[in-house]
Amino acid sequence: MKNRILAYSSLCIWFIVAIFDIRFIEALFSTFYVGDFFTHIKNNLLGFCFDTTYTIPGALLVLPLYLLSSKIFPKATNTIFRILLCISLYIGLTLVSFYAKAQFPLDRILFLYSLSEIKETIINSGLAPWWMYLIYILYPIVFFYATKIQIELKKFVLIPVISIIALCGTIRITCYDNSIENLSYPEQCNKACYFVSSIIEGNTLNNFDKETIYKNAKTFHSYFPERIFKSQKCPFLHEKDTTSNLLPFFDLQEKKPNIVLIIVEGLAKENSGKYSTYTTATPFLDSLSEHALTWNNCLSVSQRTAGVLPGTLGALPFGRGGFMAYKKDAPDFYSLPKFLKENGYDFSFYYGGWCGFDDMSHFIDLQDGKQCFEKNYDTTSQRNNWGLLDKFLFKEAINNIDFSSEKPRFEVYMTLTSHDPWEYPQKEQYVSQYIEKTNEQKAKQNPDKIAAASYLYVDESIQQLIQDYSTHEGFENTIFIITGDHNFNINTFILERYHVPLIIWSPMLNRVKEIPAVVSHRDIPASITTMLSKQYNMKQPESVSWINSQLDTSSTFRSTTFAPQIDVSRNVVSMIYNQYYVYENTCYNIRYNKNRLQLHKVKEKALNDSIKNLLNTYKYLDLYVCSCNALIDSTNIYTSRKELVHKDFRNFRDYFPQGKLDTANIQDEYFNLLSFKLKSGHKLLGPFFTCQYTLANDTIVQDPMLVIKVTDTSSTQIFWEAYPIKMEYGTWQTFDFSNAMISLQQYNKKGNVLDLFIWNPKQIPFKITDLHVGISEVE
């Protein structure tokens, strides 16, 4: 027994030595990408103290397993455990390598991406230097052979080991700090423990019973007395705004304006604008802001790109993993593109990369947007790893737009050139230009000058885009909205991680204003819809689900918005509520001093608890509305519907002679419901289908599906969607597909045929009754 314990203790000491070495390796890797080596060493030495306090309890827990194994496999146990320790070192080095590159610890976000997205990220992020791969491969192998040497636990070894452990424990207790002020915590934390704890936290389940939902809805509503809420079942639904903050700033023309939204990858206040932290790298945008509406304190809703489209287009909730991650299972929602399309606009989305990343393509499809340029460009001068370079994207877009069309346009651009690994044309020239600007302005230079200089390229691209627009018809009737999606630097002050520019410019602006009020990406949809509705009497639902106020145009600093935010793991961790900011368990007052946002802790315990309670209540309701399709009352989204065809299957004997009068026994592979010939000019179509059904026996292999199919005049299938009819034996269930509006507008050509049918590929026997089916259209 004694020898086995000594052997195990020797392995533990070797493992602690390895953990220390990995901390040194992490500092080395991090220094290659960004920062100062001695700063990284200091943070990792403190982190080693945290590692040790995790390792010792873990070793004690594993000891019984080692002793049992050594009794059963006396010769093999040491080798097995050495192999397991090597595997753990590979995992540790992987997590360290990820942190060094991304500058944030890997967490459960790994499981939110598909294999295709992970592959896309790895391929496009660029290769590490050869010596990193060498260390990664060789170190665990060296460790495996080193652990053959058993360390004798004599006094001269034992005393320093115990002293080091005691010192680490003391430092852990006195210095542990994961608060908002400790910007070094992501580097100091144990990467493996962080990864595991994020998975556990992310998989917390919620029970959405009626009593709890209504209780939380009532609590949430109490924080917004100015809103007239319509429902507890749909807790975010409230009466729309009727006045517009933006309208007084525009001399709008008789014709509806074109709207152009430009979202710049990674563009933050850190590198852009009059009050940038470092040398501003956007001279054109800076000059444009002098003739525009410019918000100095705009905050994004996400630390990564996944949140920007749902935020700017719909002020949408996040759910589990971000709204776009729900794909076609997203709850019914209303958005700026849906509003514009219902009122005669064309909606186009321009992105030079793979639109499947972050599930953007599904989100755009749900709003019937036209996706452009999702293709490969073989010419290396036109693209980098992520896709089409911004200048070429903009030029392709200009060539693609039909400027002669009478229909107003809503165009959304997402850039991608200013993305790690920062591959853009004439890089050395732009870096030199950035250094020269730093010297001229006597400003602070961004430590990552290659990343900062990429915005000089993007800035020129945007300038060229607007100049190209100015040569085409309709330019004088166009509104440009320019913002960033997030800050790349997440190891900075918490608000700076979300702090992005926001510029609205148009030839129709009647005045210029620099606005210090705090606003959010989520304020954009309400601002645009209200302005256009007010000016053009455009159709809009009576109730909307965005809680946000409009973009605040106050001349003095204030914060009146509501903006929950997600971190890199897509967890809701912070929130702006009026003048308060709550981050995890602490509430702060938002202040503005010397053109910088500042946070000051709220000392009143009751107020602190109240704001934290709002965040927790919102998090519950946010997940509820996404999980239970309770964001909006979809039956009341649209102003009116016209029924094109309606069919009731009341007499099933016409279809199944062997069945009862009001019930059909279905076991065929296909059950045709209706076939409808489309005409050009139909507006937004909504197939509807309701029934009662039950399984005929308790055998289920695959659920039947409701299928919507469109074929063209040559009988070629051009649209196909299937919706599972979930089966359960022993009870009659309701299938209701009556509220959703499936966008089929692009298929509304004369002679095309829309078919609805039940597809039962495994020919599962089930009974169906009270069946109603048809098609309606929005008027």
Side-chain angles (χ1 to χ4, degrees):
M1 172 71 77
K2 180 181 178 181
N3 290 336
R4 293 201 298 269
I5 292 177
L6 289 174
Y8 182 73
S9 300
S10 176
L11 284 178
C12 291
I13 293 174
W14 274 116
F15 190 61
I16 290 174
V17 171
I19 291 172
F20 180 83
D21 292 342
I22 287 179
R23 281 293 181 174
F24 179 83
I25 292 170
E26 179 178 340
L28 198 64
F29 284 8
S30 296
T31 303
F32 173 80
Y33 289 108
V34 64
D36 172 67
F37 177 73
F38 293 103
T39 301
H40 289 306
I41 280 289
K42 181 186 71 174
N43 288 331
N44 277 284
L45 284 175
L46 185 57
F48 174 70
C49 298
F50 302 160
D51 298 340
T52 306
T53 55
Y54 291 124
T55 304
I56 302 304
L60 293 174
L61 288 173
V62 175
L63 176 59
L65 181 63
Y66 178 89
L67 295 175
L68 178 63
S69 175
S70 61
K71 190 172 183 179
I72 301 173
F73 310 106
K75 294 184 178 180
T77 294
N78 239 37
T79 302
I80 292 171
F81 270 74
R82 286 163 57 212
I83 292 172
L84 291 174
L85 289 177
C86 285
I87 292 172
S88 69
L89 290 183
Y90 274 119
I91 294 172
L93 284 169
T94 301
L95 296 172
V96 161
S97 302
F98 178 88
Y99 174 80
K101 176 72 171 174
Q103 287 299 292
F104 64 87
L106 184 63
D107 49 31
R108 74 182 186 93
I109 195 173
L110 175 67
F111 304 107
L112 298 178
Y113 285 109
S114 67
L115 291 177
S116 297
E117 289 172 313
I118 293 172
K119 177 183 175 183
E120 183 85 358
T121 302
I122 293 173
I123 291 173
N124 295 335
S125 294
L127 296 174
W130 64 268
W131 54 268
M132 284 190 184
Y133 295 106
L134 192 64
I135 292 173
Y136 180 87
I137 294 169
L138 291 183
Y139 184 79
I141 296 174
V142 172
F143 173 81
F144 177 78
Y145 286 103
T147 51
K148 281 187 173 182
I149 304 171
Q150 183 169 322
I151 299 174
E152 298 294 333
L153 292 181
K154 297 180 180 179
K155 286 185 179 179
F156 70 87
V157 174
L158 200 58
I159 291 174
V161 168
I162 294 174
S163 300
I164 290 172
I165 293 172
L167 178 62
C168 289
T170 303
I171 294 174
R172 169 78 158 82
I173 293 169
T174 56
C175 298
Y176 178 77
D177 180 16
N178 67 340
S179 67
I180 195 172
E181 292 89 358
N182 184 13
L183 303 181
S184 300
Y185 172 75
E187 184 168 23
Q188 295 168 358
C189 72
N190 182 280
K191 307 302 183 292
C193 292
Y194 187 95
F195 181 66
V196 173
S197 63
S198 73
I199 294 173
I200 295 172
E201 180 183 352
N203 285 293
T204 303
L205 298 178
N206 293 80
N207 294 319
F208 299 120
D209 61 276
K210 184 176 179 180
E211 182 178 350
T212 306
I213 294 166
Y214 283 19
K215 178 182 177 182
N216 278 278
K218 186 176 180 181
T219 300
F220 184 79
H221 294 168
S222 68
Y223 286 87
F224 302 90
E226 74 281 5
R227 295 288 183 197
I228 301 175
F229 289 94
K230 309 299 289 185
S231 167
Q232 290 178 320
K233 180 182 177 182
C234 300
F236 298 153
L237 200 62
H238 63 87
E239 287 189 5
K240 65 181 180 183
D241 291 336
T242 55
T243 58
S244 171
N245 290 352
L246 290 183
L247 189 56
F249 293 89
F250 289 87
D251 293 326
L252 294 177
Q253 299 180 13
E254 184 178 346
K255 185 179 178 181
K256 297 171 186 175
N258 303 308
I259 311 291
V260 178
L261 172 61
I262 304 172
I263 301 170
V264 181
E265 174 65 50
L267 183 64
K269 184 181 177 182
E270 198 168 74
N271 296 304
S272 177
K274 187 176 179 179
Y275 306 114
S276 59
T277 307
Y278 302 115
T279 303
T280 178
T282 55
F284 171 71
L285 291 182
D286 297 347
S287 63
L288 188 69
S289 66
E290 295 176 0
H291 307 279
L293 300 178
T294 306
W295 283 265
N296 294 333
N297 295 307
C298 177
L299 299 173
S300 67
V301 298
S302 172
Q303 291 183 19
R304 283 297 177 262
T305 306
V308 69
L309 287 176
T312 56
L313 300 185
L316 295 166
F318 305 105
R320 197 182 302 279
F323 190 88
M324 293 195 297
Y326 286 86
K327 301 180 182 176
K328 293 178 182 177
D329 293 326
D332 296 333
F333 66 96
Y334 192 70
S335 66
L336 175 58
K338 289 187 176 184
F339 161 76
L340 293 173
K341 283 193 70 67
E342 287 172 26
N343 288 279
Y345 276 73
D346 277 335
F347 170 38
S348 299
F349 176 66
Y350 297 97
Y351 178 66
W354 175 44
C355 289
F357 197 82
D358 278 336
D359 302 304
M360 292 186 291
S361 58
H362 293 287
F363 184 64
I364 299 300
D365 281 344
L366 288 172
Q367 299 166 95
D368 197 23
K370 178 184 177 184
Q371 299 179 50
C372 304
F373 312 129
E374 187 183 347
K375 62 180 181 180
N376 293 323
Y377 285 77
D378 297 329
T379 307
T380 54
S381 63
Q382 294 182 346
R383 59 168 295 127
N384 63 12
N385 290 348
W386 286 98
L388 194 63
L389 295 168
D390 296 340
K391 283 185 181 179
F392 291 98
L393 169 69
F394 292 152
K395 283 187 176 297
E396 288 284 308
I398 290 293
N399 293 333
N400 182 74
I401 295 170
D402 182 6
F403 287 96
S404 64
S405 173
E406 289 298 313
K407 296 185 70 174
R409 305 184 312 273
F410 177 46
E411 294 154 3
V412 177
Y413 294 88
M414 281 193 67
T415 73
L416 51 69
T417 304
S418 50
H419 194 294
D420 176 38
W422 322 112
E423 294 296 332
Y424 49 96
Q426 302 173 313
K427 183 189 296 186
E428 293 182 2
Q429 177 182 325
Y430 284 110
V431 171
S432 298
Q433 185 180 339
Y434 178 75
I435 294 172
E436 288 175 11
K437 286 178 67 66
T438 300
N439 295 333
E440 289 173 5
Q441 298 172 13
K442 297 181 180 180
K444 187 177 179 181
Q445 180 175 294
N446 190 318
D448 195 345
K449 56 182 179 294
I450 293 177
S454 70
Y455 296 107
L456 290 169
Y457 170 84
V458 179
D459 187 67
E460 286 184 6
S461 303
I462 297 173
Q463 181 179 17
Q464 184 63 55
L465 176 69
I466 294 179
Q467 286 176 350
D468 288 343
Y469 263 102
S470 68
T471 64
H472 288 86
E473 185 179 348
F475 172 72
E476 297 297 325
N477 194 31
T478 301
I479 298 172
F480 294 88
I481 305 171
I482 306 169
T483 188
D485 57 354
H486 57 77
N487 187 352
F488 262 111
N489 182 13
I490 64 170
N491 293 325
T492 185
F493 175 54
I494 182 66
L495 286 183
E496 293 298 325
R497 300 173 200 176
Y498 301 95
H499 206 160
V500 294
L502 176 61
I503 300 169
I504 297 182
W505 178 83
S506 171
M508 294 180 288
L509 273 177
N510 56 37
R511 54 183 145 153
V512 173
K513 190 170 185 179
E514 182 181 301
I515 302 165
V518 175
V519 296
S520 164
H521 277 165
R522 292 168 58 95
D523 299 332
I524 293 174
S527 302
I528 301 300
T529 55
T530 306
M531 179 177 70
L532 297 182
S533 296
K534 187 81 172 176
Q535 177 71 14
Y536 299 101
N537 195 27
M538 292 164 63
K539 291 184 293 185
Q540 187 184 9
E542 291 300 316
S543 301
V544 292
S545 60
W546 41 64
I547 306 301
N548 305 68
S549 56
Q550 300 173 52
L551 290 167
D552 193 341
T553 55
S554 171
S555 300
T556 57
F557 173 78
R558 67 181 184 183
S559 180
T560 59
T561 191
F562 173 73
Q565 298 169 324
I566 54 176
D567 61 7
V568 291
S569 306
R570 305 185 193 177
N571 293 319
V572 180
V573 294
S574 54
M575 178 189 70
I576 301 168
Y577 170 68
N578 294 334
Q579 72 268 34
Y580 302 108
Y581 187 78
V582 57
Y583 176 74
E584 293 186 342
N585 291 315
T586 308
C587 180
Y588 303 85
N589 267 306
I590 303 174
R591 298 178 186 172
Y592 194 50
N593 185 33
K594 296 181 180 179
N595 303 312
R596 287 284 182 275
L597 290 175
Q598 297 179 344
L599 296 178
H600 296 265
K601 285 184 179 179
V602 172
K603 296 181 179 179
E604 298 87 344
K605 185 178 184 303
L607 179 57
N608 199 335
D609 291 344
S610 175
I611 305 301
K612 286 193 296 183
N613 181 53
L614 173 59
L615 176 60
N616 292 328
T617 301
Y618 173 79
K619 288 164 70 173
Y620 175 88
L621 294 175
D622 178 287
L623 189 56
Y624 156 67
V625 297
C626 290
S627 302
C628 301
N629 194 16
L631 183 58
I632 58 174
D633 180 1
S634 54
T635 59
N636 294 323
I637 299 176
Y638 304 97
T639 52
S640 62
R641 300 188 185 203
K642 176 184 177 183
E643 196 172 273
L644 299 176
V645 60
H646 186 184
K647 196 172 183 181
D648 292 335
F649 286 73
R650 291 195 177 97
N651 190 342
F652 279 97
R653 284 183 183 167
D654 294 341
Y655 307 94
F656 299 97
Q658 79 280 11
K660 294 182 180 179
L661 179 67
D662 59 351
T663 303
N665 298 306
I666 297 179
Q667 195 171 355
D668 295 335
E669 184 176 359
Y670 295 98
F671 176 34
N672 294 314
L673 299 170
L674 66 79
S675 185
F676 180 73
K677 189 167 288 189
L678 300 174
K679 301 177 182 177
S680 58
H682 283 312
K683 298 183 180 179
L684 193 62
L685 296 179
F688 60 86
F689 173 90
T690 62
C691 69
Q692 299 288 318
Y693 64 96
T694 185
L695 267 177
N697 57 51
D698 60 357
T699 301
I700 179 68
V701 180
Q702 179 180 339
D703 290 318
M705 287 174 276
L706 170 68
V707 175
I708 304 169
K709 181 180 74 170
V710 179
T711 53
D712 62 17
T713 52
S714 63
S715 299
T716 301
Q717 180 177 292
I718 57 176
F719 179 85
W720 191 92
E721 285 285 6
Y723 302 88
I725 304 173
K726 297 293 184 181
M727 290 289 171
E728 184 178 334
Y729 179 66
T731 60
W732 281 90
Q733 298 167 268
T734 300
F735 186 82
D736 189 344
F737 191 82
S738 59
N739 293 335
M741 298 299 292
I742 307 302
S743 177
L744 299 171
Q745 189 168 357
Q746 60 184 309
Y747 307 106
N748 293 338
K749 295 180 181 179
K750 189 174 182 180
N752 288 357
V753 176
L754 186 152
D755 291 298
L756 268 71
F757 59 90
I758 295 175
W759 181 37
N760 189 8
K762 299 298 182 180
Q763 298 184 5
I764 305 301
F766 68 98
K767 299 179 180 180
I768 189 169
T769 187
D770 196 19
L771 174 57
H772 304 269
V773 63
I775 300 173
S776 61
E777 102 177 306
V778 176
E779 292 188 307

